[in-house]
Amino acid sequence: MIESATPAVPIVFKGREELVDQGVTILCQKALRFLAIMGAGGMGKTSLALHIMDSALVKDKLAGRCYFIPCEIFEDEESLVQGLIHVMKLTMQENKSKHEVLFEHLKAAYEDVLIVFDNFETPWNHGDSRNGVKNLLEKIVKCGKVSLIVTMRGPDGPGDISWERLGDESGIPKLLPVPAKEAFKAFAGNKLQSSNDSESQIDSLLYQLDYVPLAIRLSAQHVKRVPLNTLIRMWEQGKTSILTEGPVPGRLTSVSFSIDLSIQIFKIDGRTLELLSAISFLPDGIPVWIEYLPQMFQGEELDFNVSTLLDSSLIYGQNAGLKMLAPVQEHIHSKYPIKQDSIDRLEKFYRLFLKDLPRNEMDAQPKLQPHINNIEKTFKTQISSGHSKTSCISTIN
Ligand SMILES: Nc1ncnc2c1ncn2[C@@H]1O[C@H](COP(=O)(O)OP(=O)(O)OP(=O)(O)O)[C@@H](O)[C@H]1O
Ligand SMILES: [Mg+2]
């Protein structure tokens, strides 16, 4: 079961050359070979890990001693040990626990071993298993001969290990426009007709998908059946409904499923889910959140909720603000719409914000700019639903 769960190295893989090189360099150096590939669901963490494992240098150094553990099927320390024993094909011995068999093997290793813990967010966040899982990981690290790759939703690697992380503060980034387009065309195959029109339509679609690899692959699959302009119309009408394929939804066949999985694994509910809904309503996210979030939702202490959302990668930090990738935003906005009370509070906040802006345009402009789309959306929504409590909104114009 585990062998068949080890994925094949993806054939279409664009725009990650630099990250693959960095990962390979880290694994091939003498010290510190603990590599963390972090980031949002569908961003390409597993694909990157597989390409790093498949590189000539890593294969040269570690051929036959690379073990891929698909952690989404393991929930605690014990099942992880069981999984490792199975994948390493270790034989159980009488009077020895699985734990002893595993560590005797790892400590006696003569040559370097690479263990890839893929999708580690599942055991890391499951029930009360974190302590046990943390101990296991740290014991493995102490074995000396073991290099690790962990892929995980979130911004930081697990435990107190000095992980070398790929990408930026929130993990591996979205694709750049050019490789995103190469990937889209490769996934769409020869059904894609080439014309100037379709080039700009692809550019616009990929921009709207925020260059998220999973969204690119799923949208491109449809081009095999429907023309590009129909696909674009479907996106405008149904948004994330085009980001799905096949009859059985899974993390790799549906963007909505992948996002709901994060909501489930990171136990996002109650006020945290409401905050997520509010962020999905705001096109600019929450600029300078440390300053503005307490003003938006006065009387509440939301730092812990923000940290849970950052851990899940459903939002990410950028320039001191909180942002959301477009496919996540569309899904949350349609499945968990913002509550009227939150919009009322945002309207109140922005009313005061506008009132307090400096009179001088030169000073007002840089304060206003990061919020401009939020302000427009908040007041338009309130006016069209008849909830606006603002008598004069001429300040916006
Ligand atoms: N650089 C890339 N170019 C083209 N396609 C890519 C790239 N990276 C990933 N993909 C595609 O995007 C999809 C998601 O990739 P992957 O499974 O690696 O993401 P992930 O970050 O591990 O997701 P999850 O958090 O659900 O485990 C896959 O179908 C993969 O083929
Ligand atoms: Mg993965």
Side-chain angles (χ1 to χ4, degrees), residues 14-17 175-184 206 216:
K14 306 285 181 186
R16 297 297 200 203
E17 296 77 6
L175 297 184
L176 289 172
V178 171
K181 195 166 175 181
E182 286 167 6
F184 183 88
L206 294 175
I216 295 170

Side-chain angles (χ1 to χ4, degrees), residues 14 41-47 119 153 187 217 251-252:
K14 306 285 181 186
M43 206 56 126
K45 302 178 291 297
T46 301
S47 307
N119 287 114
R153 293 183 180 194
F187 286 128
R217 189 180 69 75
R251 72 194 305 152
L252 292 182

Side-chain angles (χ1 to χ4, degrees), residues 161-294:
I161 296 162
S162 7
W163 295 105
E164 300 241 9
R165 295 164 71 265
L166 295 183
D168 55 29
E169 62 188 91
S170 42
I172 59 168
K174 45 193 169 186
L175 297 184
L176 289 172
V178 171
K181 195 166 175 181
E182 286 167 6
F184 183 88
K185 288 182 172 177
F187 286 128
N190 53 13
K191 284 281 163 65
L192 196 63
Q193 295 139 5
S194 182
S195 71
N196 280 345
D197 266 5
S198 64
E199 291 295 317
S200 63
Q201 283 174 328
I202 298 172
D203 292 339
S204 146
L205 180 66
L206 294 175
Y207 172 78
Q208 294 182 64
L209 296 177
D210 233 348
Y211 310 107
V212 173
L214 177 61
I216 295 170
R217 189 180 69 75
L218 292 173
S219 62
Q221 292 301 324
H222 295 289
V223 180
K224 294 178 179 159
R225 286 174 295 277
V226 298
L228 189 57
N229 48 8
T230 311
L231 181 67
I232 300 216
R233 207 178 50 242
M234 284 162 68
W235 164 257
E236 279 155 9
Q237 288 164 0
K239 299 286 176 183
T240 48
S241 61
I242 68 159
L243 302 182
T244 177
E245 68 171 356
V248 187
R251 72 194 305 152
L252 292 182
T253 54
S254 156
V255 162
S256 298
F257 183 98
S258 170
I259 297 166
D260 284 334
L261 192 63
S262 283
I263 292 188
Q264 186 199 323
I265 293 176
F266 292 87
K267 303 177 189 75
I268 290 161
D269 54 12
R271 195 63 191 119
T272 313
L273 187 55
E274 283 173 15
L275 177 62
L276 187 66
S277 303
I279 300 173
S280 79
F281 173 83
L282 295 168
D284 295 319
I286 303 187
V288 202
W289 72 272
I290 297 274
E291 180 181 349
Y292 291 119
L293 187 67

Side-chain angles (χ1 to χ4, degrees), residues 113-124:
V113 165
L114 172 66
I115 302 176
V116 183
F117 287 115
D118 187 43
N119 287 114
F120 202 67
E121 65 278 340
T122 297
W124 191 243

Side-chain angles (χ1 to χ4, degrees), residues 35 57 277 314 358-359:
L35 180 62
L57 283 174
S277 303
L314 287 168
R359 297 266 159 240

